[in-house]
Amino acid sequence: TLISIFCNNIQHFIDEVSKYAINKEKIISNLSERFKNIIKQEWDIVLQKRYDINTNEKRTLADIGKELNLSRERVRQIERKAIQKLLYNKDEINRLLYCFYRDINKENKDYITIEDFYNYINDKNLTKYLIIVLYSEELDMRINEETNIIYNSKEITFQEIRKEAE
């Protein structure tokens, strides 16, 4: 709004706004590349097995340990280390997730579906990592495992969402 006050014509306004507009695809691409560089192959295998992106179900640490010939504790350690790395810039990730959420949620509902999120991100690996950090409950943005909906815990609780649905 302030930019429009100081601009002489529409083209000047467009040029000024363009300086501040960030391309969604570029943000997603940069984030995807950053996560790809952070996560070791061993960690990625554990995360893929722990968080099945196709069914949105979490497998047990013991099951994964048996399959990979690792102890349940070692699988837990790998998972925790990988999530810590993904959340290294937790505040930035939280802001980006909130921006994605708001961009998807143009109708100002209390939540979005996981399908909407997948379609918006349109990058399978990045979506997997973002879903995993949503499961971590260390961010304002949360995912409910039971219903596979994403919501902002600062704006509404899952209990309130459930109550409204009834």
Side-chain angles (χ1 to χ4, degrees):
T1 309
L2 286 175
I3 293 173
S4 66
I5 293 171
F6 297 108
C7 293
N8 302 341
N9 61 43
I10 191 71
Q11 187 57 49
H12 185 228
F13 172 75
I14 291 169
D15 292 342
E16 287 300 309
V17 169
S18 297
K19 290 179 188 175
Y20 299 101
I22 298 175
N23 184 328
K24 172 192 131 187
E25 286 74 25
K26 186 172 180 152
I27 291 171
I28 288 173
S29 174
N30 288 344
L31 190 57
S32 179
E33 193 62 34
R34 190 168 87 199
F35 282 174
K36 197 184 317 177
N37 291 332
I38 289 173
I39 300 299
K40 296 177 182 179
Q41 186 177 4
E42 175 190 26
W43 299 354
D44 189 52
I45 291 167
V46 167
L47 292 176
Q48 282 181 34
K49 293 185 180 303
R50 178 81 163 133
Y51 301 90
D52 187 343
I53 206 155
N54 297 318
T55 64
N56 295 319
E57 292 181 12
K58 284 173 77 171
R59 290 183 53 202
T60 67
L61 298 170
D63 286 345
I64 297 166
K66 272 185 199 170
E67 188 176 328
L68 298 176
N69 201 24
L70 297 170
S71 70
R72 184 179 71 82
E73 178 58 20
R74 182 64 186 135
V75 172
R76 188 196 64 74
Q77 289 169 354
I78 292 169
E79 174 191 26
R80 187 72 217 137
K81 181 73 170 178
I83 291 172
Q84 285 175 338
K85 290 289 188 177
L86 291 172
L87 287 170
Y88 174 72
N89 290 328
K90 184 168 56 172
D91 292 339
E92 178 190 358
I93 299 297
N94 204 37
R95 280 193 304 275
L96 286 174
L97 283 168
Y98 185 75
C99 289
F100 295 161
Y101 170 76
R102 279 288 151 223
D103 198 28
I104 296 166
N105 191 2
K106 292 183 182 7
E107 297 168 13
N108 289 322
K109 298 182 291 185
D110 293 327
Y111 62 89
I112 60 172
T113 66
I114 202 165
E115 291 81 18
D116 291 338
F117 191 68
Y118 284 133
N119 293 333
Y120 180 84
I121 300 296
N122 201 26
D123 177 321
K124 191 173 182 175
N125 272 337
L126 178 58
T127 303
K128 172 183 63 181
Y129 294 138
L130 291 173
I131 294 293
I132 289 167
V133 298
L134 287 168
Y135 276 122
S136 76
E137 296 189 1
E138 292 187 35
L139 304 172
D140 297 334
M141 299 304 302
R142 302 279 170 84
I143 187 168
N144 177 271
E145 293 180 52
E146 180 184 321
T147 60
N148 290 323
I149 62 169
I150 299 168
Y151 63 98
N152 184 335
S153 65
K154 278 194 164 182
E155 296 176 353
I156 194 165
T157 66
F158 181 71
Q159 290 73 20
E160 291 171 322
I161 293 170
R162 180 172 273 167
K163 193 174 190 176
E164 285 180 16
E166 293 173 351

